[in-house]
Amino acid sequence: MLDLAVPGGPRPRGARRHAARRAHAAPEQPVGRPRLAVLIPAHNEADRIAAAIDGLWQQTRRPDLIVVVADNCTDDTATVAMAHGAQVFHTQGNAHKKAGALNQAIAWMLPHLDDRDLLLVQDADTVLNPWFAETALATFNRRVGAVGGIFYGEQGGGFLGLLQRMEFHRYAWELERTGGKAQVLTGTGTMFRARVLREVRTARRAGVIGGGTGYYSLASLTEDDEMTKAVKTLGYRAMSPVGCEVTTEVMPTLGKLWHQRLRWQRGALENLRDYGWTRVTARYFLQQFLMGFGALSFLIYLVYMTTYTTLYGWPGFSPFWTAIGLIFMVEKTVSVRRAGPRAVLVAALMIPEMLYDLFQHAVYFSSLWGLLRRSEEKWVAT
C-alpha cells in the first residue's frame, strides 16, 4: 500500500486503521506491478461519496490507495470517506473549483508515484463497474496515455432522465463502433500514466499548451475536454474501451441540464479557440461545424414545414422522404436498444427526441453567441 501523509497536518483519524485493515485483507502485490492510486474530487458529496468509494474497493483490480479530495466542504464528506476506508486530502485556499482541487492533490500525490504508476481521477457522483480498473490497465501501451470511462446515466430523473440515458447509450454505441477511441476523457472516470501527467505540466510551463502551469487547465470551463486535447497534443492516444463503463448522475430538471450542457458546449468551443487549428483539433472543429450545420438545417426544415402547412395544408407523404425517415428511425431505435424497451419506444416515436434535440440546439447557439460576444460564462453547480 502507498503510505502518503496529508500535507499541512497529520493523517486523518481512522485512515491508518482502515488502511491497515485493507492491507491485511488484500493479497500481496506481484513484484513490479504498477501501483494504482485514485483521486475523487468532492464538494459536499456526503450523500454519494460512499457509493463511489465502495465501487472502487469492489474492483477486480483494487486500487492501492483511495484519496477523497475534499474541496471547501461544509458537510460530512470527509467523515463518510474515512469511514469507508479512504484517505482525505483537504484543499487549501482553492478558488478554481475541480481543476484547482485536482492540481493541489496531484502535486501532492505524484512525487510518491513512479512514471509507470497510474492515477485514476473519478467524480464523486459516479460508480465504476467492477472491471473498470482491470480493463483500463490492460488497455495501456506506449502509445496510450490515458483511458477514460464510458458513462451511462443512473436510474431516476423521470422522462428527462430517460432522454439523457438514451443520449449516453448512443455515445457508448459510437465509441464501440470506432474501436474505443475516446473523444473526451470524461471526468466521471479517467486513468492516467503518472509520466503523462508530468509531461502535461512540463508542456504547460514551456508554453507548448496553455491553461496555466499545473496539471489541469485553470482557464477552461471543461477541464476534462481540455485535458483530452493536451494528452493528444503530446502524441498520446486516449481510449474508452468496452469494460470501462461508469454510472453517473443525470440532471433532474431542465434548468440543471441547461447549465450543465451550456458549460460543456461553451467549454468545448473555448478550448478549440485557445488551441487553434492543429492535427489534433481538426476533427473537433469539423464536429462542431457539422453540429452547427445540422442544427441550422433542422431549424430551417421545421420553419419551412410549419409555414408551408399553414399556408397550403399538409403536403402529403413523399415515398423518398418517408424512406429516409424510416432509415433514420431504425438507426435511432437500434442505437438505444441496450437502454431497454421503454427507450426503444420513445426513440420510435421520434417527437420526444426531436424536442430534446431542439433543446440541445438552443444550447449550441447560446454557447456560440456567448463566445462571439466574449461574454463570461460563469460556473454553475449542477
Side-chain angles (χ1 to χ4, degrees):
M1 293 283 289
L2 293 172
D3 189 14
L4 308 177
V6 176
R11 194 172 180 183
R13 288 184 302 169
R16 186 178 302 279
R17 180 177 69 253
H18 287 292
R21 184 181 67 191
R22 294 195 181 278
H24 178 73
E28 185 176 349
Q29 295 186 36
V31 176
R33 185 173 75 164
R35 294 172 296 177
L36 172 61
V38 182
L39 293 178
I40 308 177
H43 172 70
N44 291 343
E45 295 284 0
D47 59 334
R48 305 183 69 96
I49 195 68
I53 296 170
D54 290 346
L56 288 164
W57 290 131
Q58 293 166 10
Q59 292 289 300
T60 55
R61 192 324 191 169
R62 287 173 50 162
D64 300 290
L65 178 71
I66 300 173
V67 178
V68 171
V69 184
D71 182 40
N72 300 315
C73 292
T74 58
D75 66 357
D76 294 328
T77 296
T79 302
V80 175
M82 287 189 293
H84 285 261
Q87 290 192 32
V88 177
F89 175 94
H90 293 275
T91 59
Q92 302 294 323
N94 177 44
H96 296 286
K97 306 299 181 183
K98 177 182 175 181
L102 283 172
N103 281 345
Q104 288 189 22
I106 293 172
W108 163 66
M109 176 80 75
L110 272 192
H112 301 272
L113 298 179
D114 297 330
D115 277 351
R116 64 192 294 264
D117 289 335
L118 298 142
L119 186 61
L120 171 61
V121 177
Q122 177 193 328
D123 280 349
D125 61 1
T126 299
V127 177
L128 309 185
N129 80 24
W131 307 277
F132 184 101
E134 183 179 356
T135 303
L137 281 163
T139 304
F140 277 102
N141 56 44
R142 291 183 177 180
R143 302 188 65 183
V144 175
V147 177
I150 303 175
F151 48 89
Y152 292 89
E154 65 183 9
Q155 294 301 311
F159 192 68
L160 184 62
L162 173 63
L163 291 172
Q164 292 171 74
R165 287 191 292 276
M166 292 168 64
E167 179 186 9
F168 295 162
H169 269 273
R170 285 203 180 90
Y171 177 68
W173 188 59
E174 286 296 327
L175 282 174
E176 188 174 343
R177 291 172 63 188
T178 57
K181 296 178 181 178
Q183 298 181 34
V184 177
L185 292 170
T186 171
T188 55
T190 291
M191 189 181 293
F192 299 92
R193 284 282 189 201
R195 179 187 69 248
V196 172
L197 289 172
R198 291 188 173 105
E199 290 180 17
V200 168
R201 183 183 61 173
T202 299
R204 293 199 197 280
R205 292 182 172 182
V208 176
I209 52 179
T213 59
Y215 300 95
Y216 278 86
S217 170
L218 300 181
S220 175
L221 282 169
T222 49
E223 65 283 334
D224 306 317
D225 176 81
E226 194 281 335
M227 178 60 86
T228 308
K229 293 176 175 60
V231 169
K232 290 183 176 182
T233 297
L234 295 180
Y236 292 102
R237 288 179 178 174
M239 303 296 292
S240 291
V242 174
C244 282
E245 291 86 6
V246 308
T247 304
T248 191
E249 184 182 21
V250 296
M251 297 296 103
T253 66
L254 278 175
K256 285 182 175 291
L257 183 62
W258 173 267
H259 287 300
Q260 181 197 61
R261 298 310 171 86
L262 196 64
R263 176 166 54 87
W264 289 0
Q265 183 59 53
R266 179 68 180 273
L269 291 172
E270 289 182 351
N271 290 337
L272 287 177
R273 178 199 62 193
D274 295 341
Y275 270 79
W277 183 277
T278 69
R279 62 177 180 79
V280 170
T281 61
R283 65 186 301 270
Y284 291 98
F285 272 106
L286 179 60
Q287 286 176 351
Q288 292 295 328
F289 172 78
L290 292 176
M291 188 184 304
F293 179 78
L296 187 60
S297 300
F298 185 55
L299 290 175
I300 291 174
Y301 171 77
L302 287 180
V303 171
Y304 171 78
M305 289 300 297
T306 301
T307 303
Y308 187 95
T309 303
T310 302
L311 295 176
Y312 304 108
W314 179 250
F317 289 98
S318 164
F320 174 78
W321 288 112
T322 299
I324 294 296
L326 288 174
I327 293 173
F328 183 72
M329 184 183 71
V330 169
E331 188 274 337
K332 282 281 192 180
T333 55
V334 168
S335 59
V336 297
R337 67 190 186 282
R338 295 176 183 173
R342 190 180 175 203
V344 172
L345 175 61
V346 172
L349 293 175
M350 295 186 66
I351 299 298
E353 287 202 285
M354 288 176 66
L355 296 176
Y356 188 67
D357 288 342
L358 284 174
F359 176 86
Q360 301 275 47
H361 298 339
V363 169
Y364 176 86
F365 288 122
S366 179
S367 300
L368 186 60
W369 178 241
L371 183 71
L372 294 174
R373 292 191 302 116
R374 294 185 177 273
S375 63
E376 182 181 358
E377 181 63 34
K378 295 183 179 180
W379 190 90
V380 178
T382 54

